[in-house]
Amino acid sequence: MRRNWGFAISMVYPIMKAIRSKGLDFEQFCRQARFDSRLLQDAEARIDDAEIERLMKEAAEFTQDDHFGLHQGQLTDVADLGVLGYTLMHSAKVADALGAFRRYHIILCSGSNLDWEERGDTVRLRFFKQGGGKMSRHCLEDMVSSVYHLIVRLCHRTVAVRELCFTHEAPADTAPYLSAFGVVPRFGEEEAVLSLDKEVWQYPILYANPKLRNTFESIAEETKNRLMLGKVFSDRVFQWLMECMPKRFPTLRQTAHSFGMSERALQLKLKGEGTSYSELAAVVRKELACGYLARGDHSIAEIAYLLHFSEPSAFHSAFKKWTGMTPGQYRERELQKTG
């Protein structure tokens, strides 16, 4: 079955930095959170999404900081992002830096990313979880805060926030958001959004060096490609199926054609990795279904259509087989969690 790329182990370092900035002992935190700090010695190691979310939650409790993710994002520096950070620092403009961030973010994390669109005189940044669903509160606030404060540090200018939305509900104290962003966000929204003036996209990066940009981007590209090539074949098929949805749900024949092989060759290759086309297709549908149901944006009948089931009853039967629950029961459970 497919592997979870998750987060680069280096993404634990910002947690360490945030904990130490409060004068607390990181090793004590590791013991309390049951995290093996020896993992940090392996620069190539990665940990899954659930583990990084757990560590962020544990860090919030350890530091007694209900806004841990937000504050960690404020501390983020280009050095925390490794080669990606240095690629950003030597980009010509903010737009170029964010383009690199989106292009190479997989080096740090495969589970989330951002995109944007122009709306009048503003640019609307959207933060999302790959494959659907919601990021946990601390991880989302860390990402939004990191991106915003990196923009400010890279261009060394005041950057006004025109709109800020989070998908989670408002915490008891919203004052820290005003301090971090200059505005109080709207909470409980369908999307996590950060809107800035369009002119910000053209702000030059203060220390940009084209030669260094080329050097670091080459390293970033190589790292990204090595990570991609390092995936087992089933991961590549899974990712391709995900990218096709919900526009279309490819058949076995179409999938094999996309990978330049016969149906038999594709099935044999997948079998050698302990899976099959039908199993991968089911996992794709299951993960997307869980994301759609948790968000609550679509009716169950609409989700069945988005997942290319012949009718809602077929989706109902498949989902119960996957999870032991009906789609309605799963949605109710997820809504109670976000309560």
Side-chain angles (χ1 to χ4, degrees), residues 2 5 102-103 106 110 113 128-132 224 228 231 234-250 255 258-259 280-281 283-285 287-288 292 306-308:
R2 73 185 183 90
W5 285 5
R102 179 172 61 182
R103 192 159 55 250
I106 193 172
S110 64
N113 211 327
F128 58 91
K129 189 170 185 177
Q130 303 278 72
K224 175 186 173 182
M228 294 288 287
K231 294 179 69 182
S234 55
D235 286 331
R236 292 170 57 202
V237 174
F238 176 90
Q239 190 64 31
W240 186 77
L241 291 171
M242 273 286 198
E243 290 170 357
C244 289
M245 296 288 281
K247 186 177 180 181
R248 66 189 180 107
F249 193 64
T255 303
S258 175
F259 284 87
L280 290 175
V283 176
V284 167
R285 279 175 153 171
E287 291 205 4
L288 290 174
Y292 287 136
L306 289 170
L307 298 179
H308 298 267

Side-chain angles (χ1 to χ4, degrees), residues 68-107:
F68 183 83
L70 176 71
H71 292 145
Q72 177 176 300
Q74 287 180 275
L75 294 173
T76 299
D77 192 75
V78 291
D80 296 322
L81 308 185
V83 66
L84 173 57
Y86 293 115
T87 303
L88 305 186
M89 185 172 76
H90 293 295
S91 298
K93 299 178 293 187
V94 168
D96 301 321
L98 287 177
F101 184 94
R102 179 172 61 182
R103 192 159 55 250
Y104 300 118
H105 190 241
I106 193 172
I107 295 172

Side-chain angles (χ1 to χ4, degrees), residues 169-324:
E169 296 303 317
D173 182 11
T174 59
Y177 301 97
L178 185 61
S179 174
F181 297 103
V183 298
V184 175
R186 296 200 308 273
F187 295 93
E189 297 292 319
E190 292 184 2
E191 294 184 315
V193 171
L194 174 69
S195 291
L196 309 173
D197 289 333
K198 190 160 63 175
E199 66 180 21
V200 172
W201 251 231
Q202 302 307 314
Y203 284 173
I205 305 300
L206 186 63
Y207 299 114
N209 182 316
K211 290 184 179 180
L212 289 176
R213 160 70 185 228
N214 291 338
T215 298
F216 286 117
E217 185 158 26
S218 295
I219 297 171
E221 186 69 29
E222 181 182 341
T223 303
K224 175 186 173 182
N225 290 339
R226 188 170 68 249
L227 182 62
M228 294 288 287
L229 291 172
K231 294 179 69 182
V232 292
F233 182 69
S234 55
D235 286 331
R236 292 170 57 202
V237 174
F238 176 90
Q239 190 64 31
W240 186 77
L241 291 171
M242 273 286 198
E243 290 170 357
C244 289
M245 296 288 281
K247 186 177 180 181
R248 66 189 180 107
F249 193 64
T251 63
L252 170 61
R253 182 178 181 180
Q254 291 168 334
T255 303
H257 178 74
S258 175
F259 284 87
M261 59 180 66
S262 68
E263 295 173 45
R264 177 174 170 76
L266 182 136
Q267 287 284 49
L268 285 173
K269 197 168 179 65
L270 291 176
K271 184 178 180 180
E273 296 180 1
T275 187
S276 67
Y277 166 81
S278 60
E279 288 180 359
L280 290 175
V283 176
V284 167
R285 279 175 153 171
K286 176 186 174 183
E287 291 205 4
L288 290 174
C290 290
Y292 287 136
L293 289 167
R295 286 203 303 271
D297 300 338
H298 302 286
S299 69
I300 291 173
E302 288 172 336
I303 294 172
Y305 171 78
L306 289 170
L307 298 179
H308 298 267
F309 282 94
S310 59
E311 55 187 359
S313 61
F315 169 53
H316 186 282
S317 298
F319 192 84
K320 190 166 185 180
K321 181 180 178 181
W322 297 332
T323 66

Side-chain angles (χ1 to χ4, degrees), residues 40-209:
L40 296 171
Q41 298 171 17
D42 181 2
E44 300 297 319
R46 296 183 78 87
I47 58 177
D48 65 28
D49 299 7
E51 178 66 357
I52 205 76
E53 290 182 357
R54 184 185 75 83
L55 289 176
M56 291 287 282
K57 184 177 179 181
E58 292 275 0
E61 294 175 359
F62 181 77
T63 59
Q64 298 184 346
D65 180 1
D66 187 45
H67 298 83
F68 183 83
L70 176 71
H71 292 145
Q72 177 176 300
Q74 287 180 275
L75 294 173
T76 299
D77 192 75
V78 291
D80 296 322
L81 308 185
V83 66
L84 173 57
Y86 293 115
T87 303
L88 305 186
M89 185 172 76
H90 293 295
S91 298
K93 299 178 293 187
V94 168
D96 301 321
L98 287 177
F101 184 94
R102 179 172 61 182
R103 192 159 55 250
Y104 300 118
H105 190 241
I106 193 172
I107 295 172
L108 300 178
C109 171
S110 64
S112 59
N113 211 327
L114 57 79
D115 60 19
W116 58 84
E117 62 177 346
E118 294 184 7
R119 287 193 177 183
D121 60 356
T122 65
V123 176
R124 188 172 183 268
L125 274 162
R126 184 174 71 91
F127 301 80
F128 58 91
K129 189 170 185 177
Q130 303 278 72
K134 294 181 180 180
M135 279 187 270
S136 66
R137 177 192 158 197
H138 290 298
C139 287
L140 176 59
E141 291 188 357
D142 170 48
M143 186 176 182
V144 176
S145 182
S146 295
V147 168
Y148 172 71
H149 288 95
L150 280 171
I151 290 173
V152 172
R153 291 189 177 102
L154 287 169
C155 66
H156 286 256
R157 297 197 190 193
T158 299
V159 177
V161 174
R162 298 305 179 195
E163 179 189 26
L164 181 60
C165 304
F166 288 114
T167 52
H168 53 267
E169 296 303 317
D173 182 11
T174 59
Y177 301 97
L178 185 61
S179 174
F181 297 103
V183 298
V184 175
R186 296 200 308 273
F187 295 93
E189 297 292 319
E190 292 184 2
E191 294 184 315
V193 171
L194 174 69
S195 291
L196 309 173
D197 289 333
K198 190 160 63 175
E199 66 180 21
V200 172
W201 251 231
Q202 302 307 314
Y203 284 173
I205 305 300
L206 186 63
Y207 299 114
N209 182 316

